[in-house]
Amino acid sequence: MEDCIFCKIVKGEIPSNKVYEDDEILAFKDINPLAPIHILVIPKKHITSTNDIQPEDEKLMGKIFLTIKQIAKKEGFAEEGYRVVNNCGENGGQEVNHLHFHILGGKKLGTKIV
Ligand code: 5GP
Ligand code: ZN
């Protein structure tokens, strides 16, 4: 989608620090990390938010979570644990309107999520 930052990252028009890539999924380091580990995992195809996930995306969503698990293992923080966050829409605090999952870790995170 035009004027979508993350679509531009997928196309290589904006550089990113890639952690994982396949034909459907891209993971890269957040530009403004909120924890020692802060990775964003996105579908390469433009899906605006969780509200826009369609039934045909079911397999892709499962693959995204398996990818999150694999990234945690490969990057060496699976055992110590981490948090996966998806912000949806205005009240959810979503700033980039391309579906993404934050992986946060590298320190003991606060117990509150709001
Ligand atoms: P949201 O608030 O939408 O859930 O999260 C968007 C995230 O994207 C933020 O954590 C922000 O730092 C990150 N971000 C925004 N623009 C860029 C960019 O151009 N490159 C990277 N790597 N991260 C970005
Ligand atoms: Zn997009």
Side-chain angles (χ1 to χ4, degrees):
M1 179 178 269
E2 299 243 332
D3 290 335
C4 170
I5 294 172
F6 287 178
C7 281
K8 287 182 178 169
I9 286 176
V10 168
K11 285 187 266 179
E13 293 172 6
I14 294 175
S16 67
N17 196 338
K18 289 178 191 175
V19 176
Y20 173 86
E21 181 170 22
D22 67 25
D23 56 332
E24 293 180 301
I25 295 168
L26 180 65
F28 52 96
K29 295 197 175 161
D30 197 293
I31 204 168
N32 182 26
L34 299 176
I37 294 163
H38 191 168
I39 296 166
L40 300 173
V41 185
I42 70 170
K44 284 190 168 178
K45 80 166 190 177
H46 183 89
I47 298 173
T48 301
S49 78
T50 293
N51 282 338
D52 302 286
I53 297 168
Q54 301 301 319
E56 61 263 30
D57 300 320
E58 186 175 358
K59 241 181 139 176
L60 176 59
M61 293 303 116
K63 191 175 166 190
I64 284 176
F65 267 83
L66 285 169
T67 299
I68 289 169
K69 171 189 146 179
Q70 280 163 7
I71 290 169
K73 192 173 174 199
K74 187 164 159 274
E75 298 290 317
F77 60 87
E79 287 304 314
E80 66 193 40
Y82 52 93
R83 183 171 291 163
V84 180
V85 174
N86 167 249
N87 297 323
C88 178
E90 196 176 341
N91 279 3
Q94 184 176 4
E95 287 178 1
V96 176
N97 292 322
H98 181 129
L99 181 68
H100 54 280
F101 297 88
H102 300 253
I103 307 176
L104 295 154
K107 69 170 186 181
K108 179 101 176 148
L109 300 169
T111 54
K112 306 272 192 245
I113 58 166
V114 288

